[in-house]
Amino acid sequence: MSETGIPDFFVYGEPVRPLDVGFLHVETVLARSNIHLGQVAAHKHPQMGQITYWTSGSGTYRIEDRAWDFSAPAVSFVPSTIVHGFSIGPGTDAIVVSVADDALAALAGHSLLPLDRPVFADGLPRHAAWKKLATVLEMIAAEYAEAQAGNDKILPSLIAVALSHIARLAPATVAAAPSSDASLAMGLRRLVDAHFRDNWPVDRYVATLATTPHLVDKAAHAVLGSGVKRVVSERRLLEAKRLLLFTVRTVEDIAYEIGFDDPAYFSRFFRERIGEAPAAWRRKQLQG
């Protein structure tokens, strides 16, 4: 269990553990059906991203505060630290590919898909990219299961191809950026994830990244869609939503958890961005 009350897992149902450099793991959703029984509660992976490709059946997939009702084929990519979960019907299955952050970083320049944000795609099963994606993911699953010599060279390349097919299935999520911007923005994102509770000034992020205010702001706008201050504010808002949705902690406790000294100021912060108070937003989400 993480300090926020939202579970952190290695793979579903297993506690977090240090990952080897270049870690990869492939399995099916049905392989753990005796653990989740079709209901995977909201959780996150602090050190790895995941591709989940639904090969059969139907269900509901949640990423943060959004949910999709889907029928196979459907696919998601969820970066590390992003809260996700699902509810599925009997016989529903998927191939799940888990990739350590360091391995994903090495793939960033070989994939059409930005790897710093989640994506979900379904529909249009006749789209040619679905057949290509299925073929690549079946190759990944077979290569992983056979564990032949050299698969550490083959698997990353196949995963980069799979990520690119996902980008083609969800073009609205793609925002191309120079690799230097992407690298700097991902570094900023990791720092913000670690320190958004600590009220770091922008200058401290810049100094830690060993860059200039102009370059980090340029990278943040190009890749993350806003400046550094907004990135930090949005991360705090995201954590507030997570805690409101997935825990029973009080609004006051949540305010302190995400770095606000004054719960009333936190409520104003939340209302300005969401349009309603945290408690009202929580009730509406849970009732919906």
Side-chain angles (χ1 to χ4, degrees):
M1 183 74 70
S2 71
E3 63 181 12
T4 65
I6 300 167
D8 285 340
F9 290 130
F10 161 57
V11 291
Y12 190 75
E14 296 186 23
V16 171
R17 68 191 196 209
L19 301 182
D20 295 334
V21 174
F23 170 85
L24 297 171
H25 179 80
V26 184
E27 67 178 7
T28 63
V29 164
L30 281 178
R32 291 181 185 266
S33 59
N34 63 324
I35 299 173
H36 56 68
L37 303 176
Q39 305 288 327
V40 170
H43 66 285
K44 50 194 172 75
H45 307 283
Q47 306 169 62
M48 65 187 185
Q50 283 188 330
I51 298 169
T52 303
Y53 171 62
W54 297 96
T55 57
S56 62
S58 61
T60 300
Y61 198 87
R62 176 181 287 276
I63 300 176
E64 298 294 352
D65 60 339
R66 292 192 60 190
W68 295 263
D69 294 328
F70 72 88
S71 295
V75 68
S76 65
F77 171 72
V78 178
S80 62
T81 78
I82 298 296
V83 175
H84 58 288
F86 58 80
S87 173
I88 55 175
T92 301
D93 201 8
I95 298 171
V96 182
V97 181
S98 303
V99 188
D101 282 345
D102 68 289
L104 281 172
L107 296 179
H110 305 282
S111 166
L112 298 177
L113 187 72
L115 303 181
D116 61 342
R117 69 199 73 173
V119 58
F120 183 90
D122 64 352
L124 298 175
R126 293 185 179 86
H127 193 304
W130 284 116
K131 184 175 181 179
K132 293 177 181 178
L133 179 62
T135 298
V136 173
L137 282 164
E138 288 164 5
M139 291 173 65
I140 289 170
E143 187 71 29
Y144 182 84
E146 292 166 6
Q148 295 186 38
N151 71 353
D152 58 326
K153 307 294 186 186
I154 295 172
L155 282 169
S157 298
L158 291 174
I159 290 168
V161 172
L163 290 166
S164 294
H165 285 315
I166 294 170
R168 288 173 172 170
L169 288 163
T173 67
V174 178
S179 59
S180 58
D181 278 354
S183 177
L184 187 54
M186 290 177 73
L188 173 64
R189 180 175 175 265
R190 286 191 292 270
L191 283 178
V192 171
D193 282 343
H195 298 289
F196 70 90
R197 300 176 182 86
D198 302 330
N199 294 305
W200 274 21
V202 172
D203 287 350
R204 187 162 182 184
Y205 286 106
V206 172
T208 304
L209 291 166
T211 185
T212 68
H214 169 73
L215 287 177
V216 73
D217 198 56
K218 173 176 172 288
H221 276 96
V223 180
L224 305 178
S226 62
V228 179
K229 288 184 178 180
R230 180 68 178 272
V231 170
V232 176
S233 291
E234 289 300 313
R235 182 63 181 86
R236 295 176 107 182
L237 181 63
L238 172 61
E239 195 69 16
K241 285 182 173 182
R242 289 176 171 177
L243 295 172
L244 289 164
L245 274 174
F246 304 125
T247 77
V248 295
R249 295 170 69 168
T250 66
V251 171
E252 292 78 8
D253 190 31
I254 290 170
Y256 295 131
E257 166 68 27
I258 64 173
F260 286 89
D261 296 328
D262 180 0
Y265 180 65
F266 163 65
S267 292
R268 290 196 298 275
F269 165 87
F270 192 93
R271 184 190 292 273
E272 286 171 0
R273 288 156 178 80
I274 301 302
E276 54 190 340
W281 183 84
R282 170 187 258 169
R283 284 195 299 271
K284 183 182 292 184
Q285 296 297 312
L286 294 178
Q287 291 169 357

